Amino acid sequence: MKTILAAYSGALKGTGSSILSSLQDLPSLPWPALRSKMEKHLQVIAVLQWIISFLAMGISCTVLLIYMFCTDLWVIAAMYTAWLIFDWNTPKQGGRRSSWVRNWTVWTYFRDYFPIRLIKTHNLLPSRNYIFGYHPHGIFSFGAFCNFGTEATGFSKKFPGIKPSLATLAGNFRMPVLRDYLMSGGICPVNRNSIDYLLSQNGTGNAVVIVVGGAAESLDCAPGINSVTLNNRKGFVRLALQQGSDLVPVYSFGENNVYKQVIFEEGTWCRLAQKRLQKILGFAPCLFHGCGLFSDSWGMVPYNKPITTIVGEPITVPKVEEPTKDMVELYHAMYIKSLRSLFDKYKTRFGLKESDILHIQ
């Protein structure tokens, strides 16, 4: 304070040059530190808005729509409902992606919070269609959303001519507003009709991203665990054969590290309850936590652990309208081998030991 007063007094007494000299003597303000702190807050907000949107937007908008029918705004609610009915099948027919939404600045803050990176290992031909198998699921599949539901990590620049469509629960597309929000990012329902349309009636250069392990896999994710649910997941391989779409293994190192979860042992009543609710709700009710919003206490904010997504080498798949069981088994085995190879090649670069192995169950 005394330094500032002295500088101000000197500035009043002196000429223009003395004013400049006095200002130069002032202690520099910590602008870099302040800017860094502001960016960190923006990153947290960007991540939280996605979590809250994914968990609450659909239910909140559904309740609001029903409430509006009981008010003077019922006409607006009726008009939107009519539009919803008219537009009902759009998610199954390629959706309605928006380059503007995919390039929102908020997604760069989302990316930088962890941070999330996308690494390309091989070129993909725009003349082919692809099914990406994404592993592991994690709690919220942050890596899958950031890399394939936005342009924050530069997917379109790294894979020119390829249009990604991240597949998620079909139930999300039955909820007002949320369905439009998801479609704007190029997200589609993970059902047969939607994926068939993208791979057979939408031209070439399409990449449908399927989180193969699904909700079941999320029950086993925790820091330090390298496990994927894949042995009995063969539907995506059959689909690839029927459409003649190449299979591409994708592994995200760090996806399991952003939340801590209580994992119940097989056979316990808690585990059985989780699996029963998973079948009813379509998603697994995990008991997890991250950090607090303003402190290191428990909360919904994920830990800022790096997530690095590796897109592996495509496996060329022929088109077979009625693939045999043996053919599905063959390409499923090839896919598992390719995924293991991808994991083993990159694991030591991202904090794992040479002795760590990928558990496939």
Side-chain angles (χ1 to χ4, degrees):
M1 186 67 182
K2 290 180 180 179
T3 305
I4 295 173
L5 289 174
Y8 181 70
S9 176
L12 290 175
K13 295 178 182 178
T15 62
S17 60
S18 65
I19 294 175
L20 180 60
S21 176
S22 299
L23 289 175
Q24 288 175 341
D25 291 337
L26 288 174
S28 59
L29 295 175
W31 292 116
L34 179 61
R35 180 177 179 181
S36 176
K37 191 172 183 179
M38 289 177 63
E39 286 185 349
K40 190 64 179 177
H41 288 326
L42 289 172
Q43 290 168 8
V44 172
I45 292 170
V47 173
L48 278 179
Q49 71 82 25
W50 166 246
I51 295 173
I52 293 170
S53 296
F54 189 77
L55 293 177
M57 180 184 285
I59 296 174
S60 300
C61 291
T62 301
V63 172
L64 178 61
L65 185 65
I66 295 171
Y67 171 75
M68 287 174 66
F69 273 107
C70 303
T71 69
D72 294 337
L73 300 176
W74 68 269
V75 176
I76 298 175
M79 290 174 63
Y80 180 80
T81 302
W83 159 253
L84 198 63
I85 295 170
F86 174 78
D87 195 55
W88 193 253
N89 289 325
T90 298
K92 302 176 185 177
Q93 298 172 351
R96 191 167 45 246
R97 74 176 59 225
S98 167
S99 296
W100 176 63
V101 173
R102 285 178 61 87
N103 284 281
W104 275 354
T105 303
V106 67
W107 306 132
T108 64
Y109 288 110
F110 183 102
R111 173 200 67 199
D112 293 341
Y113 173 78
F114 295 94
I116 297 173
R117 289 194 300 155
L118 177 67
I119 294 180
K120 166 186 174 180
T121 62
H122 292 79
N123 291 326
L124 299 181
L125 299 175
S127 59
R128 298 285 294 173
N129 283 329
Y130 301 90
I131 293 181
F132 285 19
Y134 183 89
H135 313 269
H137 184 285
I139 298 293
F140 284 108
S141 297
F142 289 119
F145 168 71
C146 187
N147 288 308
F148 308 116
T150 79
E151 288 295 332
T153 55
F155 182 92
S156 294
K157 293 181 180 178
K158 292 177 180 178
F159 298 97
I162 305 299
K163 185 167 59 178
S165 297
L166 176 61
T168 187
L169 289 174
N172 291 324
F173 296 89
R174 302 188 185 101
M175 298 186 179
V177 183
L178 176 63
R179 66 191 294 277
D180 300 288
Y181 189 37
L182 294 176
M183 282 194 292
S184 66
I187 300 175
C188 67
V190 62
N191 59 34
R192 182 61 183 264
N193 292 337
S194 175
I195 297 174
D196 275 348
Y197 182 91
L198 288 167
L199 297 178
S200 64
Q201 301 181 49
N202 201 43
T204 59
N206 298 289
V208 178
V209 185
I210 302 175
V211 185
V212 178
E217 190 173 85
S218 64
L219 292 174
D220 295 313
C221 71
I225 291 181
N226 307 303
S227 175
V228 299
T229 301
L230 183 57
N231 281 334
N232 295 320
R233 302 296 174 102
K234 300 173 184 177
F236 74 106
V237 177
R238 179 179 294 277
L239 186 58
L241 284 162
Q242 291 173 334
Q243 298 295 344
S245 300
D246 296 345
L247 289 167
V248 181
V250 179
Y251 194 87
S252 272
F253 292 91
E255 184 72 67
N256 285 346
N257 296 338
V258 298
Y259 281 114
K260 294 180 180 179
Q261 180 182 189
V262 178
I263 299 179
F264 300 104
E265 294 183 5
E266 291 290 342
T268 62
W269 70 268
C270 289
R271 186 71 167 193
L272 293 173
Q274 283 181 316
K275 290 185 174 181
R276 179 63 61 86
L277 287 172
Q278 175 201 326
K279 291 181 179 180
I280 296 173
L281 301 175
F283 63 90
C286 304
L287 186 59
F288 66 93
H289 73 85
C291 56
L293 188 57
F294 302 109
S295 66
D296 293 332
S297 59
W298 288 11
M300 283 292 293
V301 181
Y303 296 106
N304 56 332
K305 303 293 184 180
I307 298 174
T308 305
T309 303
I310 315 292
V311 178
E313 182 178 5
I315 302 168
T316 303
V317 176
K319 185 172 182 178
V320 182
E321 291 185 3
E322 294 295 333
T324 64
K325 182 179 179 181
D326 289 343
M327 187 173 290
V328 172
E329 293 285 352
L330 172 65
Y331 279 92
H332 185 261
M334 290 171 62
Y335 180 86
I336 290 179
K337 181 180 179 181
S338 183
L339 180 64
R340 283 191 187 278
S341 177
L342 184 70
F343 178 86
D344 291 337
K345 181 177 180 179
Y346 289 93
K347 61 185 178 183
T348 56
R349 302 186 194 183
F350 304 110
L352 301 182
K353 297 177 291 185
E354 189 63 43
S355 58
D356 288 332
I357 62 173
L358 179 62
H359 298 278
I360 296 179
Q361 55 188 14

